[in-house]
Amino acid sequence: GLIYSYPYHDLLHPFAGKYLMRYGQVPSAFAAEAYDAMITLAESVGECGKDTSCIHEWYTSREYNGALGTVQFDEVADAKYGFVFKKIQDGKFAVYDVELVEKK
């Protein structure tokens, strides 16, 4: 009966289909987070090289559309994205509320 928040991820994003074909299962939100993190890091390093101040600035106040849906980075580069509520029911994880609680 435990209810908890879980990151929303876009199962229609091309990443999800490629992941399913390669691994034979639907990707978790954590796989989507890792994917988006690596894509944005590669883009920022591509523009900034080894300049860590530039990389940090690259993330600030930016919006990225990826496997997590829309990710917004605030003025200190903290990421914000949507989530859903899930619950444990009969020993399995299930969506508690299919409505997106927050998509910022």
Side-chain angles (χ1 to χ4, degrees):
L2 175 70
I3 298 171
Y4 60 99
S5 63
Y6 188 78
Y8 168 83
H9 57 297
D10 183 2
L11 294 177
L12 299 178
H13 189 275
F15 163 74
K18 291 176 184 178
Y19 188 98
L20 178 62
M21 288 185 66
R22 180 166 184 140
Y23 299 107
Q25 60 188 17
V26 174
S28 70
F30 306 112
E33 283 179 318
Y35 173 83
D36 284 350
M38 293 311 301
I39 294 298
T40 59
L41 182 60
E43 288 179 16
S44 68
V45 169
E47 288 183 28
C48 297
K50 296 179 181 181
D51 183 348
T52 56
S53 294
C54 177
I55 292 169
H56 180 265
E57 186 62 31
W58 186 93
Y59 279 97
T60 59
S61 301
R62 181 176 293 262
E63 185 173 289
Y64 169 77
N65 292 310
L68 288 171
T70 301
V71 178
Q72 293 179 332
F73 296 96
D74 66 15
E75 66 280 352
V76 294
D78 285 339
K80 292 181 173 45
Y81 43 90
F83 65 92
V84 295
F85 285 114
K86 287 193 159 192
K87 65 181 174 180
I88 298 175
Q89 181 176 346
D90 300 323
K92 296 181 182 178
F93 301 107
V95 173
Y96 176 71
D97 185 350
V98 295
E99 292 295 317
L100 228 86
V101 175
E102 177 179 82
K103 189 158 187 165
K104 293 185 178 183

